[in-house]
Amino acid sequence: MPSGHHSSGRPRRRPLLHRLRALAAVAALGAAALLPVATAAPAQAAARVDNPYAGAGVYVNPEWAANAAAEPGGSAVAGQPTAVWLDRIAAVNGTPGHLGLRGHLDNAVRQAAGKPFVVQLVVYDLPGRDCAALASNGELGPTEIGRYRTEFIDPIAAALADPAYAGLRIVTTVEIDSLPNLVTNAGGTATATPQCDTMKANGNYVNGVGYALAKLGAVPNVYNYVDAGHHGWLGWDSNLGPAVDVLRQAATAAGSTTANVHGFIVNTANYSALKEPYYTVDDSVNGASVRQSAWVDWNRYVDELSYAQAFRQKAVAAGFDPAIGMLIDTSRNGWGGAARPTGPGARTSVDSYVDGGRTDRRFQTGNWCNQSGAGLGERPRTAPEPGIDAYVWVKPPGESDGASRLVPNDEGKGFDRMCDPTYTGNARNNFHLSGALPNAPLAGSWFSAQFQELLKNAYPPVTGGGTGDTTPPSTPAGLRSTGATAATVSLAWTASTDDVGVTGYDVRRNGTLVGSTSGAGATSYTDSGLTASTAYGYTVAARDAAGNSSAASAVLTVTTATGNGGGTTGCTATYRISSDWGAGFNADVTVTNTGTVAATGWKVTWTWGGTQQITNLWNGVLTQSGTGVSVANAPYNGALAAGASTGFGFGAGYSGSNAAPTLSCTAS
């Protein structure tokens, strides 16, 4: 996926900070991890809340999780939630080997298991995107605002408005870098580019963001957070006020209002330190303010937390909701490892004091591409500081910011010298070295060396005492069997909670570890290779990134089926209309195993008596021809123990009468 860039606003130094999002190369995932259901079941509408992250689980993208888990040591963070990037039209429907938007939403519904749950999306495909950089230029030309509306935003809004996803809290990060570019890189500034001047003149950044906010904000369970740069780009007084003004202009453009903005996000896909512990902007050395240092360069903020809290206050003063919240992307701003300072720098000068004590070890705050020495930052968590809704990992660690050399491609991604480790810089980073890692692949490709760098330099550290995390997750509850055959037992349980985050679960049979799962949600597990007519005792325990393990659940004893011992198979199906609005309806079908042995599959058939036609179906595989309908089990709900039930649902349209059909059910 593409990246963005940032530029400061001082006449002498206007650093360009680039963001990028990449499509992760998908490693081999388990079928259950990637399996999108036909569509998720309609859910009860989620109540509107002040902070969508409060009391909620957060979606773990199985594609990124697989890449992370395949890296040495990566399993320790593979269960962390990251955002899904929608950076081109094709990404909405999915591309070969990658889930589309509905596939991710379906998986989020499954991970949610009926509990409050957040799924994070990045909406990033404006016309003339990223006008001051090369690695993340987009697919739409500067004037293609019509395509942006009808081919990109409208399909996203339609998917998010599907009743199947009404139970999710959908957090959007809206158009990285676009509006800050109009402040620092257009309109006669020293760092202006012709492309940014074009976008400021034609208004398509402002109107595009306004249209996106209006369309997405009309969906009741969507929470829009607009990108607000970072302290090393907009922290100067000359930039911050104009940035808030242009954000308000966009929030009230194209039919939108400020009510469509739930909050702002800073440091997206960037490396700015969350907190600088060893100096503040108010410090002085020998009577000189640290703002005079080459690193701070008269900026009013030295880290992202202070910037985010100040930005929030200025946004409220400009007319945004007083309850507005902030997000900070902490995916790559940890700056730990052996080179992390342990105290303030020498007080011989403001430069020695700041450079010796700053944890952000880049050559300059304008450096944005695949930074050497960077580390994973604070793990995602809710309400960590006043005014901050959450620390989030919007940029998935391990995805390249851009290629370190020219790489021909058909994705419209250019070569930016800021990704070349030999580049000595430009006016935006005050002619410093780029600080980029060598041998980087195309933007969006998995970059193993970068992931290992981030893992090694994580702060808090991923493992060891530096995290201070000695609290184990809660014990998994509700361990139950969802089906048993002569050779298999399928298990499910309720998700655990943790002060930092659950990364997976370990399943034991008769005290012996037989399998593990990754992810924080209520994952499931099927044990195979068992003996018929045999009782087995199962427990499950949760684990977190620091290696803490919960107590084991209570033992669940499950007896496998008798195999070919003469038992019978059979099933019944009951039909219930859950809602009917005259031209369409939703219905639920419950399937119950009425046999004496476990079933491995089922099929329900019926013939409509009117004009009914199913438009979408979840938790089953649909075949319909004319008035005839057949629904077979999905791969994950075919196994049914004797007496057990499962079900599927669907939405349909009709005219005239809507009589319930007579269902037939067969089991195997």
Side-chain angles (χ1 to χ4, degrees), residues 452-464:
Q452 290 298 322
E453 184 90 343
L454 295 172
L455 201 64
K456 176 182 69 176
N457 296 317
Y459 190 87
V462 169
T463 58

Side-chain angles (χ1 to χ4, degrees), residues 242-321:
V244 172
D245 291 342
V246 76
L247 287 168
R248 194 178 191 285
Q249 181 185 359
T252 55
S256 181
T257 70
T258 56
N260 290 318
V261 178
H262 195 78
F264 297 95
I265 181 169
V266 300
N267 203 48
T268 314
N270 194 52
Y271 298 86
S272 294
L274 177 65
K275 300 176 184 178
E276 284 292 0
Y278 302 124
Y279 74 102
T280 74
V281 73
D282 297 320
D283 291 349
S284 62
V285 177
N286 299 327
S289 168
V290 300
R291 295 185 67 196
Q292 300 178 38
S293 68
W295 174 260
V296 179
D297 187 25
W298 295 102
N299 199 322
R300 194 166 292 280
Y301 308 98
V302 300
D303 53 33
E304 285 307 293
L305 179 59
S306 62
Y307 170 73
Q309 291 172 325
F311 186 95
R312 179 183 177 279
Q313 292 177 351
K314 291 185 179 296
V316 170
F320 287 96
D321 190 329

Side-chain angles (χ1 to χ4, degrees), residues 23-233:
L23 287 171
V26 178
L29 293 176
L34 262 183
L35 178 69
V37 294
T39 187
Q44 181 178 357
R48 195 75 180 174
V49 295
D50 289 336
N51 182 353
Y53 292 86
V58 187
Y59 178 58
V60 176
N61 182 344
E63 298 181 341
W64 177 81
N67 284 330
E71 292 284 340
S75 60
V77 296
Q80 294 292 349
T82 55
V84 173
W85 285 65
L86 303 173
D87 73 332
R88 51 186 173 138
I89 292 167
V92 180
N93 291 324
T95 56
H98 295 274
L99 291 171
L101 173 57
R102 285 183 179 270
H104 283 294
L105 293 173
D106 289 340
N107 274 329
V109 170
R110 293 172 58 198
Q111 289 185 18
K115 294 187 175 183
F117 203 76
V118 170
V119 60
Q120 303 172 113
L121 307 175
V122 174
V123 178
Y124 185 41
D125 200 24
L126 271 177
R129 187 182 68 198
D130 211 4
C131 57
L134 297 175
S136 58
N137 292 157
E139 63 185 348
L140 300 178
T143 63
E144 292 188 287
I145 188 69
R147 291 190 64 198
Y148 175 76
R149 292 169 175 161
T150 60
E151 298 181 41
F152 184 64
I153 294 298
D154 288 357
I156 293 174
L160 302 188
D162 191 322
Y165 312 123
L168 297 173
R169 299 175 184 176
I170 302 171
V171 168
T172 65
T173 293
V174 178
E175 294 297 351
I176 310 304
D177 292 345
S178 59
L179 301 176
N181 267 318
L182 301 182
V183 175
T184 60
N185 296 321
T189 63
T191 51
T193 68
Q195 295 88 344
C196 290
D197 284 333
T198 295
M199 300 317 300
K200 184 168 186 175
N202 68 24
N204 283 343
Y205 275 8
V206 168
N207 289 319
V209 170
Y211 185 83
L213 291 173
K215 290 289 288 190
L216 302 178
V219 181
N221 56 317
V222 167
Y223 299 78
N224 290 317
Y225 289 79
V226 183
D227 183 73
H230 58 85
H231 88 276
W233 186 3

Side-chain angles (χ1 to χ4, degrees), residues 473-496:
S474 64
T475 303
L479 180 61
R480 60 198 181 276
S481 172
T482 57
T485 69
T488 65
V489 168
S490 296
L491 303 171
W493 55 89
T494 302
S496 295

